[in-house]
Amino acid sequence: MCERQKLLRQIQIHNFAITDVVLYLDGHPTCQPALAYYEKHKQLRDEAVALYNQRFGPLNMRENTNPNRWTWVDDPWPWELEA
């Protein structure tokens, strides 16, 4: 598995963990362990996304960081990598 795929997998794992704990927090909004779990995975996801953006370009259109060029279209789309 290449580095790009590993980073995408990490992002997917953290996104899943965040979505799962958010569903729990909807019913238990003051649960401190769940809030800590959410913050941990949010931070890990943000770090993985930043690293992905730095090495491979924006993961989605909202993460275009170049004010002079729309870099979102420069790299292959994630689904094009498997072809």
Side-chain angles (χ1 to χ4, degrees):
M1 185 179 288
C2 72
E3 182 181 7
R4 181 181 226 148
Q5 291 172 323
K6 286 179 185 178
L7 279 171
L8 283 172
R9 175 65 89 198
Q10 284 182 325
I11 293 165
Q12 290 171 334
I13 289 168
H14 297 304
N15 279 338
F16 180 85
I18 290 167
T19 299
D20 193 43
V21 76
V22 162
L23 293 172
Y24 178 80
L25 284 167
D26 284 348
H28 306 84
T30 60
C31 177
Q32 293 305 305
L35 288 166
Y37 184 86
Y38 169 82
E39 288 300 325
K40 172 187 163 191
H41 283 281
K42 183 177 176 297
Q43 179 181 353
L44 291 170
R45 182 218 179 262
D46 291 347
E47 290 170 4
V49 168
L51 185 58
Y52 186 95
N53 290 340
Q54 177 187 4
R55 293 189 179 162
F56 304 109
L59 186 60
N60 63 50
M61 65 188 129
R62 291 178 299 275
E63 292 159 2
N64 187 78
T65 57
N66 186 338
N68 300 313
R69 172 145 172 70
W70 189 244
T71 58
W72 168 241
V73 297
D74 289 348
D75 292 319
W77 300 94
W79 57 86
E80 293 178 324
L81 300 174
E82 297 179 21

